[in-house]
Amino acid sequence: MANNEELFKKIISHAKEYGFVFPSSEIYDGLSAVYDYGPFGVELKNNIKEYWWESMVRYHENIVGLDSAIFMHPDIWKASGHVDAFSDPMIDNKDSKKRYRADVLVEEHLQKIEDKIQKEVEKARQRFGESFDEQMYRTTNQRVVENQAKIDSIKTRFYASLGKNDLADVKALIEETGIVCPVSGTKNWTEVRQFNLMFSTQMGSVNEDANMIYLRPETAQGIFVNFLNVQKSARMKIPFGIAQIGKAFRNEIVARQFLFRMREFEQMEMQFFVKPGEELQWFEFWKKERMKWHTSLGIPASKYRFHDHEKLAHYANAATDIEFEFPIGFKELEGIHSRTDFDLGAHQKLSGKKLQYFDQETSENYTPYVVETSIGLDRTFLAVLSHSYREEKLEDGSERVVLNFPARLAPVKVAILPLMKKDNLPEKARELMDSLKFSFQCYYEEKDTIGRRYRRMDAIGTPFCITIDHQTLQDNTVTIRDRDTMLQERIPIEGISEIVQKKIFPAA
Ligand code: GAP
């Protein structure tokens, strides 16, 4: 198997060739970090959205949905803190002319030291076998202790400098730790500057009276400002949640990782409103609940991990990321944040409108606290796609690329393939297509040999291929081929719907 970088490239090119993801504006040489979803990509994306929406909104009676506008009053972004503080520290290398996020450079440097420690630990584990005491080793082995001390001191200084917005010290730290530009290999850095990530545009027809507005950098604020509208109209009682799926826009400084870091992307967010003082217990609840959702997709639990935030945003009293092992390493897929009453409080203050909840049982008014779950749809797409990508050598020496998507997420569930383009086989196949297409996403294809058609369906991750042959005309049976085992079984046409249904919803 290719190394991870090569593997990542292969996945990107597979996604393009097989109609999942295209670079945006390709005929004009593309638009950086913006992508279009092709025919199979949009199906996969919709299936992920549906799975999230069903599990959040349909299965939780105390969560309701919302679809708020992308454009919002510009004061919303003042209140939320985005105008003043939604920025990343950036730095340029003067030789390569490449731009980096200063925090990412430092974090990657720390990861390299962490990897060294881990290597030492693993070597020792093999040497000492069962009697190995990792805790003891980490606190007594000189090299490990020194490296750990390096990590701790860099982290302490780095977060302190960032916290004080002392960007000169961030630059000094980068220089002193010997971080070099991965492209030029030099330490010829510019000053570090803060760069606001929000895109802005003008609203209004005449330039003079046009107002500057922002493209939302998160969907969450649309939920906060509608808190009372939703609570009253849907008659919700605390604790309750509001869920939303929608586009968000960020002018990312470094956006070179395909769907992982895009400038236009989609979020699936849920704000859960709770009584002050109960937020940490709901935070723990949502941590568990969201991890369950991820593993219920059929991807092994070992591909996920929590990463608790050491440095909390000023408005949060707990925060964690669910990280996924992408081909580019373990990276954030979802954030779970206990945001206190920061957002509702800030909107109340700036708008002058009350955003409070009246608790009928205790007859008190209060500003609810909020626990948020925020997952990137495109990152989930990338997680599912990269986990499902397989290059297989078959027994007959040939090779195939298969996407073994969890069946319920597969863009096409059933391929309907007449063995030949004659002898009434296409007509019979069309009949089957017409009977199944209202229940499942089906794909009809009669061109090319059956073997090539199977390969194409493997490459887009279709769990079932149904072949209509001459025997079908005699006894109304077909062969059904399983994508993963490649085994074929002959079954009566009437049984197809049930078999497919069972595979897609195994527990039902
Ligand atoms: N409302 C909270 C919020 O927006 P965030 O951690 O900034 O929190 C939430 O974003 C999720 O959105 C991330 O975990 C990630 O999956 C996704 N996301 C953020 N920036 C992204 C980008 N530039 N491209 C793709 N997905 C992104």
Side-chain angles (χ1 to χ4, degrees):
M1 182 50 98
N3 73 30
N4 284 350
E5 208 170 303
E6 252 177 73
L7 173 66
F8 198 41
K9 280 191 195 146
K10 284 185 179 183
I11 292 169
I12 296 169
S13 89
H14 188 88
K16 176 163 184 251
E17 185 179 350
Y18 287 94
F20 285 88
V21 181
F22 308 130
S24 160
S25 323
E26 199 185 7
I27 59 168
Y28 291 95
D29 296 332
L31 184 66
S32 167
V34 184
Y35 291 92
D36 299 334
Y37 285 84
F40 303 114
V42 69
E43 294 292 341
L44 173 59
K45 200 175 172 196
N46 283 341
N47 292 342
I48 296 171
K49 279 195 222 183
E50 188 181 287
Y51 190 52
W52 183 86
W53 192 262
E54 280 193 0
S55 68
M56 296 300 266
V57 180
R58 269 202 31 214
Y59 301 161
H60 291 101
E61 288 173 31
N62 59 353
I63 299 182
V64 286
L66 178 74
D67 183 8
S68 68
I70 287 173
F71 292 145
M72 290 192 272
H73 195 289
D75 282 353
I76 286 176
W77 305 110
K78 277 193 200 142
S80 67
H82 285 80
V83 170
D84 291 329
F86 192 57
S87 49
D88 282 333
M90 68 173 187
I91 190 167
D92 295 276
N93 183 270
K94 292 182 198 162
D95 298 322
S96 67
K97 308 270 180 283
K98 290 274 176 207
R99 176 159 292 175
Y100 298 93
R101 269 176 57 178
D103 54 332
V104 172
L105 283 181
V106 174
E107 273 155 19
E108 282 175 357
H109 180 73
L110 291 174
Q111 188 59 47
K112 275 188 200 147
I113 309 178
E114 182 60 51
D115 291 347
K116 271 191 205 158
I117 296 181
Q118 203 50 41
K119 232 178 172 172
E120 295 268 359
V121 170
E122 288 316 316
K123 257 196 336 215
R125 191 191 308 285
Q126 284 186 359
R127 209 169 45 228
F128 294 115
E130 287 205 342
S131 62
F132 181 59
D133 179 342
E134 182 173 334
Q135 175 74 10
M136 166 94 91
Y137 184 76
R138 279 179 179 270
T139 47
T140 52
N141 178 281
Q142 203 189 339
R143 265 198 306 268
V144 171
V145 170
E146 278 171 14
N147 276 331
Q148 190 57 50
K150 248 191 229 167
I151 291 180
D152 295 341
S153 101
I154 295 174
K155 263 190 187 168
T156 311
R157 178 168 161 200
F158 178 62
Y159 289 130
S161 303
L162 265 193
K164 289 183 286 186
N165 208 21
D166 183 353
L167 301 180
D169 194 54
V170 173
K171 183 188 178 193
L173 180 66
I174 287 175
E175 285 171 342
E176 285 166 35
T177 44
I179 295 175
V180 295
C181 165
V183 177
S184 68
T186 71
K187 288 194 266 179
N188 195 6
W189 298 111
T190 60
E191 299 305 309
V192 178
R193 281 161 294 159
Q194 287 290 5
F195 178 78
N196 193 294
L197 302 184
M198 280 199 295
F199 284 101
S200 59
T201 185
Q202 305 281 317
M203 183 177 260
S205 53
V206 188
N207 251 355
E208 298 85 72
D209 59 46
N211 285 319
M212 189 168 72
I213 55 164
Y214 299 101
L215 273 72
R216 66 179 178 200
E218 61 171 12
T219 63
Q221 298 303 324
I223 295 180
F224 290 124
V225 297
N226 276 296
F227 161 69
L228 271 190
N229 284 338
V230 174
Q231 187 264 320
K232 289 194 167 147
S233 59
R235 304 170 68 79
M236 303 308 288
K237 277 202 180 128
I238 273 181
F240 77 92
I242 306 177
Q244 161 153 252
I245 300 178
K247 290 266 183 173
F249 305 84
R250 296 184 189 177
N251 197 2
E252 298 283 359
I253 298 172
V254 183
R256 307 186 188 115
Q257 292 163 316
F258 191 41
L259 305 181
F260 185 79
R261 200 170 298 287
M262 302 158 84
R263 295 202 164 100
E264 172 181 340
F265 58 99
E266 231 168 318
Q267 291 184 315
M268 305 191 284
E269 298 202 292
M270 192 279 296
Q271 312 293 321
F272 199 70
F273 299 89
V274 304
K275 199 170 174 173
E278 293 183 359
E279 71 278 7
L280 292 180
Q281 105 204 21
W282 283 110
F283 174 74
E284 289 306 322
F285 172 86
W286 281 110
K287 260 179 90 168
K288 283 202 199 94
E289 198 71 3
R290 292 304 304 146
M291 190 56 106
K292 248 199 278 167
W293 182 85
H294 285 282
T295 50
S296 74
L297 286 174
I299 297 178
S302 59
K303 299 285 281 185
Y304 298 92
R305 71 182 186 196
F306 284 114
H307 172 242
D308 294 333
H309 290 203
E310 285 177 35
K311 182 180 171 276
L312 292 172
H314 59 283
Y315 52 78
N317 62 4
T320 194
D321 295 334
I322 293 179
E323 294 186 337
F324 180 80
E325 191 176 14
F326 292 98
I328 46 176
F330 265 104
K331 303 249 178 214
E332 175 186 341
L333 175 57
E334 171 158 12
I336 301 164
H337 314 119
S338 173
R339 295 179 73 126
T340 67
D341 59 352
F342 172 81
D343 303 87
L344 289 181
H347 289 306
Q348 278 187 104
K349 208 162 151 202
L350 195 62
S351 69
K353 309 278 175 358
K354 272 217 156 112
L355 290 174
Q356 292 208 324
Y357 175 76
F358 178 67
D359 190 328
Q360 287 179 336
E361 276 158 34
T362 59
S363 292
E364 38 165 359
N365 267 311
Y366 59 81
T367 307
Y369 271 38
V370 171
V371 175
E372 154 184 88
T373 70
S374 174
I375 176 172
L377 174 56
D378 312 85
R379 283 193 194 172
T380 311
F381 183 103
L382 181 60
V384 171
L385 178 69
S386 55
H387 175 70
S388 304
Y389 181 91
R390 300 265 182 291
E391 290 172 3
E392 289 181 354
K393 251 208 154 64
L394 306 179
E395 272 171 16
D396 64 2
S398 65
E399 287 174 11
R400 72 165 181 164
V401 173
V402 59
L403 297 178
N404 69 350
F405 292 132
R408 66 175 301 152
L409 298 183
V412 174
K413 306 288 191 258
V414 185
I416 295 175
L417 315 170
L419 185 63
M420 292 172 179
K421 220 167 136 184
K422 56 181 188 182
D423 302 339
N424 262 343
L425 298 182
E427 287 76 6
K428 185 73 184 166
R430 282 262 168 226
E431 262 176 44
L432 181 59
M433 177 81 185
D434 286 341
S435 76
L436 286 182
K437 73 182 179 193
F438 297 103
S439 310
F440 310 106
Q441 187 65 32
C442 297
Y443 190 88
Y444 178 89
E445 184 156 65
E446 55 187 27
K447 193 170 165 284
D448 286 337
T449 64
I450 193 73
R452 292 184 74 158
R453 281 180 276 164
Y454 284 156
R455 285 290 172 276
R456 265 205 301 276
M457 286 300 117
D458 290 342
I460 63 163
T462 305
F464 298 107
C465 287
I466 292 173
T467 305
I468 289 84
D469 55 17
H470 291 93
Q471 193 178 328
T472 311
L473 303 180
Q474 288 159 15
D475 62 8
N476 227 24
T477 61
V478 290
T479 62
I480 181 164
R481 172 186 179 270
D482 181 286
R483 174 197 65 200
D484 301 333
T485 61
M486 291 185 288
L487 293 176
Q488 295 181 38
E489 213 187 322
R490 186 162 278 279
I491 57 164
I493 281 186
E494 306 87 71
I496 294 174
S497 193
E498 207 181 319
I499 290 180
V500 175
Q501 187 74 20
K502 266 202 186 134
K503 179 95 176 184
I504 300 171
F505 304 105

PDB file of all heavy atoms in Angstrom, residues 125-144:
ATOM      1  N   ARG A 125       8.934  -0.735  25.134  1.00  0.00           N
ATOM      2  CA  ARG A 125       7.854  -1.699  25.400  1.00  0.00           C
ATOM      3  C   ARG A 125       8.223  -3.062  24.819  1.00  0.00           C
ATOM      4  O   ARG A 125       8.033  -4.111  25.425  1.00  0.00           O
ATOM      5  CB  ARG A 125       6.547  -1.201  24.784  1.00  0.00           C
ATOM      6  CG  ARG A 125       5.316  -1.995  25.241  1.00  0.00           C
ATOM      7  CD  ARG A 125       4.079  -1.666  24.416  1.00  0.00           C
ATOM      8  NE  ARG A 125       3.790  -0.251  24.325  1.00  0.00           N
ATOM      9  CZ  ARG A 125       3.273   0.474  25.320  1.00  0.00           C
ATOM     10  NH1 ARG A 125       2.969  -0.098  26.454  1.00  0.00           N
ATOM     11  NH2 ARG A 125       3.061   1.775  25.159  1.00  0.00           N
ATOM     12  N   GLN A 126       8.807  -3.042  23.606  1.00  0.00           N
ATOM     13  CA  GLN A 126       9.182  -4.313  22.968  1.00  0.00           C
ATOM     14  C   GLN A 126      10.321  -4.981  23.730  1.00  0.00           C
ATOM     15  O   GLN A 126      10.379  -6.191  23.870  1.00  0.00           O
ATOM     16  CB  GLN A 126       9.579  -4.058  21.529  1.00  0.00           C
ATOM     17  CG  GLN A 126       8.346  -3.822  20.693  1.00  0.00           C
ATOM     18  CD  GLN A 126       8.643  -3.703  19.216  1.00  0.00           C
ATOM     19  OE1 GLN A 126       9.801  -3.782  18.805  1.00  0.00           O
ATOM     20  NE2 GLN A 126       7.607  -3.493  18.444  1.00  0.00           N
ATOM     21  N   ARG A 127      11.259  -4.128  24.216  1.00  0.00           N
ATOM     22  CA  ARG A 127      12.420  -4.675  24.915  1.00  0.00           C
ATOM     23  C   ARG A 127      12.027  -5.326  26.243  1.00  0.00           C
ATOM     24  O   ARG A 127      12.437  -6.407  26.567  1.00  0.00           O
ATOM     25  CB  ARG A 127      13.428  -3.546  25.150  1.00  0.00           C
ATOM     26  CG  ARG A 127      14.857  -4.048  25.208  1.00  0.00           C
ATOM     27  CD  ARG A 127      15.878  -2.950  25.178  1.00  0.00           C
ATOM     28  NE  ARG A 127      15.546  -1.865  26.065  1.00  0.00           N
ATOM     29  CZ  ARG A 127      15.562  -0.575  25.748  1.00  0.00           C
ATOM     30  NH1 ARG A 127      15.891  -0.208  24.580  1.00  0.00           N
ATOM     31  NH2 ARG A 127      15.262   0.367  26.603  1.00  0.00           N
ATOM     32  N   PHE A 128      11.164  -4.635  26.987  1.00  0.00           N
ATOM     33  CA  PHE A 128      10.855  -5.120  28.342  1.00  0.00           C
ATOM     34  C   PHE A 128       9.658  -6.065  28.398  1.00  0.00           C
ATOM     35  O   PHE A 128       9.416  -6.700  29.421  1.00  0.00           O
ATOM     36  CB  PHE A 128      10.604  -3.937  29.283  1.00  0.00           C
ATOM     37  CG  PHE A 128      11.826  -3.101  29.503  1.00  0.00           C
ATOM     38  CD1 PHE A 128      11.878  -1.787  29.070  1.00  0.00           C
ATOM     39  CD2 PHE A 128      12.959  -3.650  30.120  1.00  0.00           C
ATOM     40  CE1 PHE A 128      13.014  -1.017  29.257  1.00  0.00           C
ATOM     41  CE2 PHE A 128      14.093  -2.877  30.308  1.00  0.00           C
ATOM     42  CZ  PHE A 128      14.128  -1.556  29.875  1.00  0.00           C
ATOM     43  N   GLY A 129       8.901  -6.116  27.326  1.00  0.00           N
ATOM     44  CA  GLY A 129       7.757  -7.034  27.290  1.00  0.00           C
ATOM     45  C   GLY A 129       6.723  -6.689  28.349  1.00  0.00           C
ATOM     46  O   GLY A 129       6.457  -5.531  28.620  1.00  0.00           O
ATOM     47  N   GLU A 130       6.184  -7.745  28.991  1.00  0.00           N
ATOM     48  CA  GLU A 130       5.031  -7.560  29.881  1.00  0.00           C
ATOM     49  C   GLU A 130       5.334  -6.724  31.110  1.00  0.00           C
ATOM     50  O   GLU A 130       4.466  -6.096  31.687  1.00  0.00           O
ATOM     51  CB  GLU A 130       4.504  -8.916  30.323  1.00  0.00           C
ATOM     52  CG  GLU A 130       3.778  -9.612  29.199  1.00  0.00           C
ATOM     53  CD  GLU A 130       2.762 -10.607  29.676  1.00  0.00           C
ATOM     54  OE1 GLU A 130       2.847 -11.021  30.846  1.00  0.00           O
ATOM     55  OE2 GLU A 130       1.915 -10.973  28.857  1.00  0.00           O
ATOM     56  N   SER A 131       6.615  -6.739  31.524  1.00  0.00           N
ATOM     57  CA  SER A 131       6.945  -6.024  32.763  1.00  0.00           C
ATOM     58  C   SER A 131       7.100  -4.509  32.533  1.00  0.00           C
ATOM     59  O   SER A 131       7.432  -3.776  33.451  1.00  0.00           O
ATOM     60  CB  SER A 131       8.246  -6.586  33.346  1.00  0.00           C
ATOM     61  OG  SER A 131       9.280  -6.353  32.410  1.00  0.00           O
ATOM     62  N   PHE A 132       6.835  -4.047  31.295  1.00  0.00           N
ATOM     63  CA  PHE A 132       7.071  -2.635  30.973  1.00  0.00           C
ATOM     64  C   PHE A 132       6.096  -1.719  31.723  1.00  0.00           C
ATOM     65  O   PHE A 132       4.884  -1.912  31.662  1.00  0.00           O
ATOM     66  CB  PHE A 132       6.930  -2.436  29.458  1.00  0.00           C
ATOM     67  CG  PHE A 132       7.180  -1.023  29.026  1.00  0.00           C
ATOM     68  CD1 PHE A 132       8.397  -0.405  29.285  1.00  0.00           C
ATOM     69  CD2 PHE A 132       6.196  -0.298  28.351  1.00  0.00           C
ATOM     70  CE1 PHE A 132       8.629   0.899  28.879  1.00  0.00           C
ATOM     71  CE2 PHE A 132       6.424   1.003  27.943  1.00  0.00           C
ATOM     72  CZ  PHE A 132       7.647   1.594  28.213  1.00  0.00           C
ATOM     73  N   ASP A 133       6.676  -0.723  32.397  1.00  0.00           N
ATOM     74  CA  ASP A 133       5.855   0.237  33.119  1.00  0.00           C
ATOM     75  C   ASP A 133       6.015   1.600  32.405  1.00  0.00           C
ATOM     76  O   ASP A 133       7.004   2.312  32.612  1.00  0.00           O
ATOM     77  CB  ASP A 133       6.344   0.310  34.578  1.00  0.00           C
ATOM     78  CG  ASP A 133       5.541   1.305  35.401  1.00  0.00           C
ATOM     79  OD1 ASP A 133       4.854   2.163  34.798  1.00  0.00           O
ATOM     80  OD2 ASP A 133       5.612   1.228  36.636  1.00  0.00           O
ATOM     81  N   GLU A 134       5.053   1.929  31.577  1.00  0.00           N
ATOM     82  CA  GLU A 134       5.190   3.116  30.717  1.00  0.00           C
ATOM     83  C   GLU A 134       5.330   4.403  31.530  1.00  0.00           C
ATOM     84  O   GLU A 134       6.171   5.253  31.229  1.00  0.00           O
ATOM     85  CB  GLU A 134       3.984   3.217  29.766  1.00  0.00           C
ATOM     86  CG  GLU A 134       4.127   4.401  28.830  1.00  0.00           C
ATOM     87  CD  GLU A 134       3.054   4.468  27.755  1.00  0.00           C
ATOM     88  OE1 GLU A 134       2.487   3.434  27.384  1.00  0.00           O
ATOM     89  OE2 GLU A 134       2.807   5.599  27.280  1.00  0.00           O
ATOM     90  N   GLN A 135       4.516   4.491  32.569  1.00  0.00           N
ATOM     91  CA  GLN A 135       4.528   5.695  33.395  1.00  0.00           C
ATOM     92  C   GLN A 135       5.918   5.945  33.973  1.00  0.00           C
ATOM     93  O   GLN A 135       6.475   7.037  33.893  1.00  0.00           O
ATOM     94  CB  GLN A 135       3.482   5.488  34.515  1.00  0.00           C
ATOM     95  CG  GLN A 135       3.421   6.584  35.537  1.00  0.00           C
ATOM     96  CD  GLN A 135       2.742   7.819  34.935  1.00  0.00           C
ATOM     97  OE1 GLN A 135       2.180   7.750  33.837  1.00  0.00           O
ATOM     98  NE2 GLN A 135       2.839   8.930  35.626  1.00  0.00           N
ATOM     99  N   MET A 136       6.491   4.853  34.507  1.00  0.00           N
ATOM    100  CA  MET A 136       7.826   4.921  35.109  1.00  0.00           C
ATOM    101  C   MET A 136       8.859   5.322  34.051  1.00  0.00           C
ATOM    102  O   MET A 136       9.714   6.176  34.266  1.00  0.00           O
ATOM    103  CB  MET A 136       8.146   3.540  35.712  1.00  0.00           C
ATOM    104  CG  MET A 136       9.583   3.335  36.061  1.00  0.00           C
ATOM    105  SD  MET A 136       9.825   3.735  37.764  1.00  0.00           S
ATOM    106  CE  MET A 136       9.561   2.132  38.485  1.00  0.00           C
ATOM    107  N   TYR A 137       8.755   4.671  32.876  1.00  0.00           N
ATOM    108  CA  TYR A 137       9.711   4.931  31.810  1.00  0.00           C
ATOM    109  C   TYR A 137       9.676   6.395  31.377  1.00  0.00           C
ATOM    110  O   TYR A 137      10.705   7.053  31.219  1.00  0.00           O
ATOM    111  CB  TYR A 137       9.393   4.016  30.616  1.00  0.00           C
ATOM    112  CG  TYR A 137      10.377   4.128  29.489  1.00  0.00           C
ATOM    113  CD1 TYR A 137      11.636   3.523  29.579  1.00  0.00           C
ATOM    114  CD2 TYR A 137      10.077   4.853  28.340  1.00  0.00           C
ATOM    115  CE1 TYR A 137      12.556   3.644  28.546  1.00  0.00           C
ATOM    116  CE2 TYR A 137      10.980   4.979  27.309  1.00  0.00           C
ATOM    117  CZ  TYR A 137      12.225   4.372  27.420  1.00  0.00           C
ATOM    118  OH  TYR A 137      13.126   4.496  26.401  1.00  0.00           O
ATOM    119  N   ARG A 138       8.447   6.912  31.232  1.00  0.00           N
ATOM    120  CA  ARG A 138       8.293   8.299  30.792  1.00  0.00           C
ATOM    121  C   ARG A 138       8.873   9.290  31.808  1.00  0.00           C
ATOM    122  O   ARG A 138       9.249  10.394  31.447  1.00  0.00           O
ATOM    123  CB  ARG A 138       6.810   8.629  30.570  1.00  0.00           C
ATOM    124  CG  ARG A 138       6.279   8.156  29.219  1.00  0.00           C
ATOM    125  CD  ARG A 138       4.800   8.491  29.081  1.00  0.00           C
ATOM    126  NE  ARG A 138       4.283   8.069  27.786  1.00  0.00           N
ATOM    127  CZ  ARG A 138       4.275   8.826  26.680  1.00  0.00           C
ATOM    128  NH1 ARG A 138       4.742  10.036  26.729  1.00  0.00           N
ATOM    129  NH2 ARG A 138       3.782   8.363  25.556  1.00  0.00           N
ATOM    130  N   THR A 139       8.876   8.907  33.069  1.00  0.00           N
ATOM    131  CA  THR A 139       9.374   9.859  34.060  1.00  0.00           C
ATOM    132  C   THR A 139      10.852   9.643  34.410  1.00  0.00           C
ATOM    133  O   THR A 139      11.441  10.430  35.141  1.00  0.00           O
ATOM    134  CB  THR A 139       8.543   9.787  35.369  1.00  0.00           C
ATOM    135  OG1 THR A 139       8.405   8.411  35.716  1.00  0.00           O
ATOM    136  CG2 THR A 139       7.177  10.417  35.206  1.00  0.00           C
ATOM    137  N   THR A 140      11.454   8.548  33.893  1.00  0.00           N
ATOM    138  CA  THR A 140      12.851   8.306  34.265  1.00  0.00           C
ATOM    139  C   THR A 140      13.827   8.277  33.081  1.00  0.00           C
ATOM    140  O   THR A 140      15.007   8.562  33.252  1.00  0.00           O
ATOM    141  CB  THR A 140      12.989   6.965  35.031  1.00  0.00           C
ATOM    142  OG1 THR A 140      12.361   5.959  34.235  1.00  0.00           O
ATOM    143  CG2 THR A 140      12.352   7.032  36.403  1.00  0.00           C
ATOM    144  N   ASN A 141      13.358   7.931  31.901  1.00  0.00           N
ATOM    145  CA  ASN A 141      14.287   7.883  30.766  1.00  0.00           C
ATOM    146  C   ASN A 141      14.721   9.309  30.401  1.00  0.00           C
ATOM    147  O   ASN A 141      13.885  10.179  30.155  1.00  0.00           O
ATOM    148  CB  ASN A 141      13.617   7.216  29.562  1.00  0.00           C
ATOM    149  CG  ASN A 141      14.536   7.194  28.356  1.00  0.00           C
ATOM    150  OD1 ASN A 141      14.694   8.192  27.659  1.00  0.00           O
ATOM    151  ND2 ASN A 141      15.177   6.078  28.131  1.00  0.00           N
ATOM    152  N   GLN A 142      16.047   9.496  30.358  1.00  0.00           N
ATOM    153  CA  GLN A 142      16.540  10.863  30.234  1.00  0.00           C
ATOM    154  C   GLN A 142      16.077  11.565  28.949  1.00  0.00           C
ATOM    155  O   GLN A 142      15.627  12.703  28.954  1.00  0.00           O
ATOM    156  CB  GLN A 142      18.054  10.867  30.324  1.00  0.00           C
ATOM    157  CG  GLN A 142      18.569  12.227  30.756  1.00  0.00           C
ATOM    158  CD  GLN A 142      20.086  12.288  30.635  1.00  0.00           C
ATOM    159  OE1 GLN A 142      20.756  11.261  30.603  1.00  0.00           O
ATOM    160  NE2 GLN A 142      20.613  13.493  30.571  1.00  0.00           N
ATOM    161  N   ARG A 143      16.202  10.836  27.823  1.00  0.00           N
ATOM    162  CA  ARG A 143      15.824  11.465  26.536  1.00  0.00           C
ATOM    163  C   ARG A 143      14.339  11.830  26.514  1.00  0.00           C
ATOM    164  O   ARG A 143      13.944  12.902  26.067  1.00  0.00           O
ATOM    165  CB  ARG A 143      16.130  10.504  25.384  1.00  0.00           C
ATOM    166  CG  ARG A 143      17.493  10.780  24.767  1.00  0.00           C
ATOM    167  CD  ARG A 143      17.591  10.147  23.404  1.00  0.00           C
ATOM    168  NE  ARG A 143      17.279   8.715  23.450  1.00  0.00           N
ATOM    169  CZ  ARG A 143      18.189   7.755  23.613  1.00  0.00           C
ATOM    170  NH1 ARG A 143      19.459   8.062  23.760  1.00  0.00           N
ATOM    171  NH2 ARG A 143      17.833   6.478  23.635  1.00  0.00           N
ATOM    172  N   VAL A 144      13.509  10.904  27.047  1.00  0.00           N
ATOM    173  CA  VAL A 144      12.067  11.154  27.059  1.00  0.00           C
ATOM    174  C   VAL A 144      11.759  12.349  27.964  1.00  0.00           C
ATOM    175  O   VAL A 144      10.993  13.243  27.605  1.00  0.00           O
ATOM    176  CB  VAL A 144      11.296   9.893  27.528  1.00  0.00           C
ATOM    177  CG1 VAL A 144       9.830  10.203  27.756  1.00  0.00           C
ATOM    178  CG2 VAL A 144      11.444   8.781  26.506  1.00  0.00           C
TER     179      VAL A 144
END
